[in-house]
Amino acid sequence: MSTIESFNPSAWLRPPHIQTLLPRLVFRCRQWYGQWETFALNDGDFIELCWHPHATPDSQRPLVVLFHGLEGSVDSPYIWQTMEELAEHDIDSVVMHFRGCGKTPINRLPRAYHSGDIGDPTAVIVALRERYPNRSIHTIGFSLGGNMLVQLMSTELADVLTSAAVCCAPLDLMSCSKRIDRGFSRLYRKYLLTPLKQKFTIKQQRGMFKDCTQLNSLDVNKMTSFLEFDDKVTAPLHGFSDVEDYYHRASGKQFLKQIRKPTLIVHANDDPFLGPDVVPHIDEMNPHVTYEKHPHGGHMGFINYQHRFYSWLPTRLVNWVSEKEAEKL
């Protein structure tokens, strides 16, 4: 395990809920529109990609593909700040929005996305590899997107990638589902569940579940926990028998031993979203994995202050990408 670049915030910034909530409060909105691309999927649905406006598609510069967290997007501070930091280092970037998380909030099919859904990211990376055969491609995943990325890096697709970085990932889903049901973390649960329930209800009203009586008549508005929502909605929509089957098969920790390319994993010890079981033991990883657990940082926070608020995490991630790029030379 490694803590080469330790995150040490000022004492008044150390409480985990301050770290978690502060980014949305102190950082300006994204100041650029980006280059949007609608990416067609083989099942007739679509996802939306957003390229940083300084990306140069015909260049040979490294390319980083980013995967956001649950109900995140390019507007999430951790996404656009990382993309800006990459651009400052002459590295291109594109964020893949999971189904229904881009500019178009309702996708065409009943299904949505989940923590172990590597199908759409695989399609995007394969297409980018074909489009840019001479570029090195790196990946960064945050929270849900990070959990997904761990599984993806254990497959043969990792062989076309140079590296991965995984941030604040719920590598044991059952542990995290129970953790977010406790104390102040229930505020985050409500914040994340509300848009999921809203999107599901819109699909119901449009008759998208008419072939499934169970889902068509389901009242999600009464649900207050991820455990219930994932059992009644996420699992049946995506081919799992129940929530236990979903959490077991989709949790990323079991794939760490099979990771095939250099992968950085960053956790904060005080993350209010993550249960204790997300932390892997040394014998659950292989030499491709660099694991960093920092005492502070909250969930997708890692904010410090020196004359102004700034995010430590994008710099750490860009340094990782730059290091792995240099090792190719």
Side-chain angles (χ1 to χ4, degrees), residues 198-259:
Q198 290 172 341
K199 290 177 182 180
F200 181 85
T201 300
I202 292 173
K203 288 185 176 184
Q204 274 184 325
Q205 295 169 346
R206 294 183 180 181
M208 298 177 72
F209 303 118
K210 61 184 179 181
D211 295 330
C212 180
T213 304
Q214 177 185 357
L215 292 174
N216 199 44
S217 59
L218 187 64
D219 184 4
V220 296
N221 292 317
K222 296 180 180 179
M223 297 181 180
T224 60
S225 72
F226 275 106
L227 194 68
E228 184 178 12
F229 185 87
D230 287 337
D231 189 47
K232 302 299 183 183
V233 178
T234 309
L237 263 180
H238 301 101
F240 301 98
S241 59
D242 54 27
V243 68
E244 286 82 7
D245 181 44
Y246 165 43
Y247 285 173
H248 172 69
R249 290 164 56 188
S251 290
K253 192 162 71 167
Q254 64 191 304
F255 301 104
L256 295 176
K257 289 282 279 190
Q258 287 78 48
I259 283 182

Side-chain angles (χ1 to χ4, degrees), residues 7-301:
F7 173 64
N8 294 304
S10 302
W12 63 280
L13 285 173
R14 289 175 184 170
H17 298 299
I18 288 180
Q19 283 288 326
T20 302
L21 295 170
L22 204 55
R24 288 285 186 179
L25 300 176
V26 302
F27 294 124
R28 71 191 192 284
C29 295
R30 176 170 53 97
Q31 299 296 297
W32 41 271
Y33 183 70
Q35 304 164 18
W36 286 81
E37 174 184 348
T38 300
F39 185 90
L41 299 167
N42 289 336
D43 62 4
D45 212 338
F46 68 97
I47 52 178
E48 293 168 305
L49 311 180
C50 183
W51 295 78
H52 190 275
H54 290 165
T56 52
D58 296 328
S59 79
Q60 302 301 308
R61 300 198 303 190
L63 173 62
V64 176
V65 185
L66 297 96
F67 304 104
H68 59 77
L70 183 66
E71 291 302 285
S73 72
V74 69
D75 286 315
S76 301
Y78 59 84
I79 290 286
W80 61 258
Q81 288 179 332
T82 302
M83 296 178 81
E84 289 183 355
E85 186 85 9
L86 288 164
E88 291 178 4
H89 288 76
D90 296 322
I91 301 172
D92 289 343
S93 62
V94 57
V95 55
M96 189 207 90
H97 291 88
F98 291 102
R99 302 189 193 207
C101 292
K103 295 186 298 180
T104 308
I106 305 299
N107 56 301
R108 296 187 185 123
L109 299 181
R111 62 151 299 175
Y113 65 99
H114 60 83
S115 293
D117 186 2
I118 66 172
D120 295 350
T122 295
V124 168
I125 290 172
V126 168
L128 292 176
R129 179 78 286 160
E130 292 175 351
R131 193 184 299 181
Y132 309 116
N134 297 318
R135 281 193 178 203
S136 59
I137 300 178
H138 304 258
T139 53
I140 301 176
F142 301 88
S143 198
L144 175 146
N147 182 78
M148 176 282 300
L149 183 54
V150 166
Q151 181 175 348
L152 187 147
M153 293 302 291
S154 72
T155 70
E156 292 182 358
L157 183 68
D159 296 341
V160 307
L161 300 172
T162 301
S163 78
V166 172
C167 312
C168 302
L171 299 179
D172 185 286
L173 294 172
M174 182 62 78
S175 176
C176 297
S177 181
K178 293 177 179 178
R179 174 65 183 89
I180 207 168
D181 277 341
R182 300 203 315 265
F184 190 83
S185 294
R186 288 175 291 186
L187 174 67
Y188 308 126
R189 182 189 64 190
K190 181 178 180 180
Y191 174 79
L192 292 170
L193 264 180
T194 296
L196 294 175
K197 294 191 292 186
Q198 290 172 341
K199 290 177 182 180
F200 181 85
T201 300
I202 292 173
K203 288 185 176 184
Q204 274 184 325
Q205 295 169 346
R206 294 183 180 181
M208 298 177 72
F209 303 118
K210 61 184 179 181
D211 295 330
C212 180
T213 304
Q214 177 185 357
L215 292 174
N216 199 44
S217 59
L218 187 64
D219 184 4
V220 296
N221 292 317
K222 296 180 180 179
M223 297 181 180
T224 60
S225 72
F226 275 106
L227 194 68
E228 184 178 12
F229 185 87
D230 287 337
D231 189 47
K232 302 299 183 183
V233 178
T234 309
L237 263 180
H238 301 101
F240 301 98
S241 59
D242 54 27
V243 68
E244 286 82 7
D245 181 44
Y246 165 43
Y247 285 173
H248 172 69
R249 290 164 56 188
S251 290
K253 192 162 71 167
Q254 64 191 304
F255 301 104
L256 295 176
K257 289 282 279 190
Q258 287 78 48
I259 283 182
R260 300 165 72 109
K261 284 293 183 70
T263 299
L264 171 69
I265 298 177
V266 178
H267 276 146
N269 193 49
D270 61 357
D271 192 323
F273 282 42
L274 306 185
D277 292 340
V278 303
V279 179
H281 299 292
I282 293 177
D283 60 1
E284 293 178 301
M285 299 180 283
N286 69 26
H288 289 304
V289 179
T290 298
Y291 182 76
E292 297 182 1
K293 185 173 71 168
H294 301 269
H296 308 286
H299 188 74
M300 302 311 313

